[in-house]
Amino acid sequence: MELTKKYYRIAEVCELVNEPASTLRYWETVFPQLKVKRNDKGTRYYTPANIDTILQIKYLLNDRGLKIDAAATQMKVANDSIAAKQKAIERLQEIRKALVEMRDALHSLR
């Protein structure tokens, strides 16, 4: 995922990571690694690093099937290895999608 902006609003992040705003707000309370900047009015501004952290949390909860407390522990203990695994899986999913598109294109030529 190519993140080009310096800051993203919560609605943009919800679209990027496919999670509701209430989930992201809850994760802020559970995962201390997810520190989101706010302006004087309380509007949240997510950095690309925040979005990477959200994707790591999502990987632990959805792909690995961990509970919230286990995911929080994992984020404290092995944050670097989680990021590497999550990025590798994301890249493999992109490659798979491209291969499926190529296969379908070849089948349509027949």
mmCIF file of all heavy atoms in Angstrom, residues 11-28:
data_model
loop_
_atom_site.group_PDB
_atom_site.id
_atom_site.type_symbol
_atom_site.label_atom_id
_atom_site.label_comp_id
_atom_site.label_asym_id
_atom_site.label_seq_id
_atom_site.Cartn_x
_atom_site.Cartn_y
_atom_site.Cartn_z
ATOM 1 N N ALA A 11 -11.569 8.820 8.549
ATOM 2 C CA ALA A 11 -12.399 8.263 7.478
ATOM 3 C C ALA A 11 -11.533 7.678 6.362
ATOM 4 O O ALA A 11 -11.845 6.613 5.806
ATOM 5 C CB ALA A 11 -13.329 9.333 6.917
ATOM 6 N N GLU A 12 -10.429 8.343 6.046
ATOM 7 C CA GLU A 12 -9.515 7.844 5.021
ATOM 8 C C GLU A 12 -8.858 6.545 5.474
ATOM 9 O O GLU A 12 -8.709 5.601 4.696
ATOM 10 C CB GLU A 12 -8.431 8.884 4.716
ATOM 11 C CG GLU A 12 -8.951 10.161 4.103
ATOM 12 C CD GLU A 12 -7.877 11.228 4.023
ATOM 13 O OE1 GLU A 12 -7.266 11.552 5.069
ATOM 14 O OE2 GLU A 12 -7.656 11.730 2.905
ATOM 15 N N VAL A 13 -8.471 6.493 6.737
ATOM 16 C CA VAL A 13 -7.821 5.303 7.280
ATOM 17 C C VAL A 13 -8.804 4.134 7.293
ATOM 18 O O VAL A 13 -8.437 3.004 6.967
ATOM 19 C CB VAL A 13 -7.242 5.572 8.688
ATOM 20 C CG1 VAL A 13 -6.645 4.314 9.283
ATOM 21 C CG2 VAL A 13 -6.205 6.676 8.626
ATOM 22 N N CYS A 14 -10.047 4.412 7.629
ATOM 23 C CA CYS A 14 -11.075 3.365 7.622
ATOM 24 C C CYS A 14 -11.183 2.727 6.241
ATOM 25 O O CYS A 14 -11.295 1.501 6.118
ATOM 26 C CB CYS A 14 -12.429 3.934 8.041
ATOM 27 S SG CYS A 14 -12.511 4.378 9.775
ATOM 28 N N GLU A 15 -11.156 3.540 5.203
ATOM 29 C CA GLU A 15 -11.204 3.021 3.834
ATOM 30 C C GLU A 15 -9.948 2.224 3.497
ATOM 31 O O GLU A 15 -10.021 1.169 2.875
ATOM 32 C CB GLU A 15 -11.355 4.163 2.831
ATOM 33 C CG GLU A 15 -12.767 4.603 2.623
ATOM 34 C CD GLU A 15 -12.887 5.607 1.493
ATOM 35 O OE1 GLU A 15 -12.235 5.418 0.444
ATOM 36 O OE2 GLU A 15 -13.633 6.580 1.671
ATOM 37 N N LEU A 16 -8.796 2.732 3.898
ATOM 38 C CA LEU A 16 -7.527 2.075 3.575
ATOM 39 C C LEU A 16 -7.405 0.699 4.212
ATOM 40 O O LEU A 16 -6.926 -0.243 3.590
ATOM 41 C CB LEU A 16 -6.341 2.938 4.020
ATOM 42 C CG LEU A 16 -6.063 4.201 3.214
ATOM 43 C CD1 LEU A 16 -5.013 5.047 3.919
ATOM 44 C CD2 LEU A 16 -5.614 3.855 1.811
ATOM 45 N N VAL A 17 -7.821 0.589 5.470
ATOM 46 C CA VAL A 17 -7.619 -0.660 6.211
ATOM 47 C C VAL A 17 -8.889 -1.499 6.324
ATOM 48 O O VAL A 17 -8.861 -2.589 6.884
ATOM 49 C CB VAL A 17 -7.024 -0.406 7.617
ATOM 50 C CG1 VAL A 17 -5.679 0.291 7.510
ATOM 51 C CG2 VAL A 17 -7.972 0.379 8.492
ATOM 52 N N ASN A 18 -10.001 -0.967 5.823
ATOM 53 C CA ASN A 18 -11.277 -1.677 5.817
ATOM 54 C C ASN A 18 -11.726 -2.064 7.235
ATOM 55 O O ASN A 18 -12.059 -3.215 7.502
ATOM 56 C CB ASN A 18 -11.218 -2.899 4.899
ATOM 57 C CG ASN A 18 -12.585 -3.421 4.538
ATOM 58 O OD1 ASN A 18 -13.557 -2.662 4.535
ATOM 59 N ND2 ASN A 18 -12.679 -4.703 4.264
ATOM 60 N N GLU A 19 -11.682 -1.089 8.115
ATOM 61 C CA GLU A 19 -12.142 -1.257 9.495
ATOM 62 C C GLU A 19 -12.991 -0.048 9.861
ATOM 63 O O GLU A 19 -12.723 1.060 9.400
ATOM 64 C CB GLU A 19 -10.967 -1.353 10.477
ATOM 65 C CG GLU A 19 -10.156 -2.615 10.391
ATOM 66 C CD GLU A 19 -10.881 -3.848 10.912
ATOM 67 O OE1 GLU A 19 -11.859 -3.710 11.676
ATOM 68 O OE2 GLU A 19 -10.461 -4.950 10.535
ATOM 69 N N PRO A 20 -14.004 -0.230 10.703
ATOM 70 C CA PRO A 20 -14.826 0.917 11.118
ATOM 71 C C PRO A 20 -14.065 1.847 12.071
ATOM 72 O O PRO A 20 -13.126 1.431 12.752
ATOM 73 C CB PRO A 20 -16.018 0.278 11.809
ATOM 74 C CG PRO A 20 -15.592 -1.089 12.172
ATOM 75 C CD PRO A 20 -14.523 -1.496 11.220
ATOM 76 N N ALA A 21 -14.499 3.095 12.119
ATOM 77 C CA ALA A 21 -13.860 4.095 12.975
ATOM 78 C C ALA A 21 -13.919 3.695 14.444
ATOM 79 O O ALA A 21 -12.961 3.919 15.190
ATOM 80 C CB ALA A 21 -14.512 5.461 12.763
ATOM 81 N N SER A 22 -15.017 3.077 14.846
ATOM 82 C CA SER A 22 -15.130 2.670 16.259
ATOM 83 C C SER A 22 -14.052 1.657 16.625
ATOM 84 O O SER A 22 -13.510 1.691 17.737
ATOM 85 C CB SER A 22 -16.516 2.081 16.526
ATOM 86 O OG SER A 22 -16.764 0.970 15.687
ATOM 87 N N THR A 23 -13.715 0.779 15.702
ATOM 88 C CA THR A 23 -12.655 -0.205 15.951
ATOM 89 C C THR A 23 -11.308 0.486 16.102
ATOM 90 O O THR A 23 -10.530 0.181 17.014
ATOM 91 C CB THR A 23 -12.604 -1.237 14.816
ATOM 92 O OG1 THR A 23 -13.857 -1.905 14.755
ATOM 93 C CG2 THR A 23 -11.491 -2.246 15.021
ATOM 94 N N LEU A 24 -11.024 1.435 15.219
ATOM 95 C CA LEU A 24 -9.747 2.150 15.294
ATOM 96 C C LEU A 24 -9.644 2.936 16.595
ATOM 97 O O LEU A 24 -8.579 2.945 17.232
ATOM 98 C CB LEU A 24 -9.593 3.092 14.100
ATOM 99 C CG LEU A 24 -9.558 2.428 12.723
ATOM 100 C CD1 LEU A 24 -9.377 3.469 11.643
ATOM 101 C CD2 LEU A 24 -8.484 1.373 12.647
ATOM 102 N N ARG A 25 -10.731 3.567 17.009
ATOM 103 C CA ARG A 25 -10.708 4.321 18.271
ATOM 104 C C ARG A 25 -10.486 3.374 19.462
ATOM 105 O O ARG A 25 -9.743 3.691 20.390
ATOM 106 C CB ARG A 25 -12.000 5.120 18.439
ATOM 107 C CG ARG A 25 -12.105 6.293 17.483
ATOM 108 C CD ARG A 25 -13.273 7.212 17.822
ATOM 109 N NE ARG A 25 -14.556 6.537 17.753
ATOM 110 C CZ ARG A 25 -15.360 6.525 16.687
ATOM 111 N NH1 ARG A 25 -14.988 7.144 15.581
ATOM 112 N NH2 ARG A 25 -16.517 5.894 16.725
ATOM 113 N N TYR A 26 -11.104 2.198 19.416
ATOM 114 C CA TYR A 26 -10.915 1.217 20.485
ATOM 115 C C TYR A 26 -9.465 0.737 20.524
ATOM 116 O O TYR A 26 -8.868 0.642 21.600
ATOM 117 C CB TYR A 26 -11.875 0.042 20.309
ATOM 118 C CG TYR A 26 -11.626 -1.071 21.287
ATOM 119 C CD1 TYR A 26 -11.873 -0.902 22.647
ATOM 120 C CD2 TYR A 26 -11.107 -2.289 20.870
ATOM 121 C CE1 TYR A 26 -11.625 -1.909 23.560
ATOM 122 C CE2 TYR A 26 -10.854 -3.305 21.774
ATOM 123 C CZ TYR A 26 -11.122 -3.111 23.113
ATOM 124 O OH TYR A 26 -10.865 -4.120 24.011
ATOM 125 N N TRP A 27 -8.911 0.441 19.362
ATOM 126 C CA TRP A 27 -7.526 -0.026 19.316
ATOM 127 C C TRP A 27 -6.573 1.009 19.903
ATOM 128 O O TRP A 27 -5.551 0.645 20.486
ATOM 129 C CB TRP A 27 -7.128 -0.379 17.890
ATOM 130 C CG TRP A 27 -7.738 -1.657 17.391
ATOM 131 C CD1 TRP A 27 -8.457 -2.570 18.099
ATOM 132 C CD2 TRP A 27 -7.683 -2.160 16.053
ATOM 133 N NE1 TRP A 27 -8.851 -3.602 17.294
ATOM 134 C CE2 TRP A 27 -8.394 -3.388 16.029
ATOM 135 C CE3 TRP A 27 -7.113 -1.700 14.875
ATOM 136 C CZ2 TRP A 27 -8.529 -4.150 14.876
ATOM 137 C CZ3 TRP A 27 -7.249 -2.453 13.719
ATOM 138 C CH2 TRP A 27 -7.959 -3.676 13.723
ATOM 139 N N GLU A 28 -6.879 2.293 19.763
ATOM 140 C CA GLU A 28 -6.033 3.334 20.355
ATOM 141 C C GLU A 28 -5.958 3.186 21.876
ATOM 142 O O GLU A 28 -4.937 3.495 22.481
ATOM 143 C CB GLU A 28 -6.583 4.724 20.031
ATOM 144 C CG GLU A 28 -6.364 5.165 18.615
ATOM 145 C CD GLU A 28 -6.979 6.525 18.358
ATOM 146 O OE1 GLU A 28 -6.969 7.376 19.275
ATOM 147 O OE2 GLU A 28 -7.478 6.729 17.243
#
